Amino acid sequence: MSEKISLDSSETLFKMKALYLSIFVLLAAVSATAQIRPVESLPIAVNYSKTIHLIFPSAVKYSQAVTDFVAVDNPENVPHILRIKANSKSFSKQTTVSVATEGGFFYSFNVSYADSLEQTNYFLPDMRSIAPDTVFINEVSQTHLIAPEKVIYIDYGDTCINVSKAENTENIIRMIARSGRVQQFPKQTNVSFATESGRFFTFNVDYREKPEAFVYEVGEKKPEKKANVILTDNIIPAGERDDVMNRVYNAKRQIYNKGIVRNKIVFSLNNLHIYDNLLLFTFEIENKSRLPYDIDYIRYYIVDRKTAKLTASQEVDQQALFSENYAPRIEGNGKMKYVIAFDKFTIPDDKFFRIEINEKNGGRHVLFDLENGDIVNVSDI
């Protein structure tokens, strides 16, 4: 009798062990399948002549490109926008870009290169896009875009065009093809901007010798026939301006170690003053050659220290508010000293403030960089 009980107990124990083992294997299998699952990456295409914009419903907190095939940037004044651009004129392998936004949302993008882009902007999370109109420009006339409200961000896809906010205004964008680069003009580039209410606009830009229009009003509705230019309100009051500018222009030079010499063209920073919320730079350009120096344009922008190639997507233009005593021509063995004003700004440690001077129909170009330490010790007027 006891032997039978012992056998029954052994059989029961064996069955219980088998049951536990089955449950363990089942739980392990369920656990294994629940631990990981693939998340679909969203496909986007980029190229070298246009900037791609990703517009998120909340601020970008993290962004990372796996390779240096593309440049990825989250402009400070539009935290919900990420811009992406190819670092070279072609790449064959697909790469990825990862983004995390405020609220805990994570996005992954598969990025490939395409010579022709069907879309240059994506509104997340549904990836809808704006179909951009085309604006035609040339190198001898400025083209203006009149935005419906204050513009806080501007980007352009290729350095064959020059784009900036018109001086003393908040909603006028001017652009022109850079002389000497018309032959290098890509098949098409683009210009994009954002306004203070968060609206985003983008346009294709192409070259045409004789454009049909040079002024475009931006917006869904035709504006009423009234003043539509927003003037900058932080310029020095008219009653004080002449006195302030005279004191700045005629101030004794305080800076002697910030300058550069290229092809007998000397560019230097003489002084830097602050007045209310304005930074006033006094620059001097000296032409030590006999040939007149005709300036095509001077550009002021923030650029990454690690930038290997000069691409628009890696740069943030600093919009000048006004300048005094500037002239576009410096005679042989002559000098020009001028004052230029900007809204107060600082330079991140990993970036430069760059001044780029291009000679019209010539090769005497100048690039000059300033660091944050160069501008924080400003002088009061």
Side-chain angles (χ1 to χ4, degrees), residues 224-239:
E224 299 176 12
K225 290 298 181 181
K226 61 180 182 180
N228 57 358
V229 176
I230 303 172
L231 299 177
T232 301
D233 58 6
N234 61 350
I235 301 297
I236 301 172

Side-chain angles (χ1 to χ4, degrees), residues 284-326:
E284 185 173 290
I285 305 174
E286 182 178 1
N287 180 8
K288 289 193 171 184
S289 74
R290 295 181 179 180
L291 294 174
Y293 187 62
D294 292 305
I295 299 172
D296 185 17
Y297 64 87
I298 303 181
R299 186 175 167 224
Y300 310 87
Y301 55 99
I302 304 295
V303 63
D304 197 313
R305 287 174 181 262
K306 297 180 181 179
T307 298
K309 293 182 177 292
L310 191 62
T311 61
S313 68
Q314 297 163 325
E315 306 160 0
V316 178
D317 282 278
Q318 292 298 121
Q319 306 297 332
L321 300 176
F322 62 88
S323 62
E324 294 285 344
N325 300 104
Y326 171 80

Side-chain angles (χ1 to χ4, degrees), residues 30-62:
V30 171
S31 178
T33 56
Q35 283 181 352
I36 189 169
R37 63 183 184 276
V39 177
E40 182 183 5
S41 293
L42 302 170
I44 59 174
V46 301
N47 68 19
Y48 193 71
S49 60
K50 290 185 177 181
T51 304
I52 302 299
H53 285 88
L54 304 178
I55 302 95
F56 296 90
S58 56
V60 173
K61 294 299 184 181
Y62 162 83

Side-chain angles (χ1 to χ4, degrees), residues 73-173:
D73 176 45
N74 176 216
E76 183 178 355
N77 49 343
V78 279
H80 65 296
I81 291 179
L82 194 73
R83 55 184 178 182
I84 306 176
K85 192 164 183 290
N87 261 333
S88 61
K89 294 187 177 180
S90 180
F91 59 85
S92 57
K93 294 182 179 180
Q94 191 176 78
T95 187
T96 59
V97 170
S98 302
V99 182
T101 64
E102 197 171 62
F105 296 97
F106 187 83
Y107 303 84
S108 177
F109 301 90
N110 286 334
V111 184
S112 58
Y113 191 94
D115 291 325
S116 178
L117 298 176
E118 294 184 5
Q119 295 172 294
T120 57
N121 58 92
Y122 301 87
F123 287 77
L124 281 297
D126 57 4
M127 294 289 280
R128 63 184 176 86
S129 65
I130 299 171
D133 293 324
T134 299
V135 175
F136 294 95
I137 65 173
N138 65 19
E139 78 281 18
V140 294
S141 300
Q142 288 189 342
T143 297
H144 291 82
L145 303 176
I146 304 176
E149 54 189 355
K150 181 179 178 180
V151 173
I152 61 170
Y153 164 77
I154 302 173
D155 174 272
Y156 50 100
D158 196 282
T159 54
C160 65
I161 62 175
N162 192 19
V163 183
S164 64
K165 192 186 292 185
E167 292 180 2
N168 301 340
T169 72
E170 296 289 356
N171 68 322
I172 308 296
I173 298 170

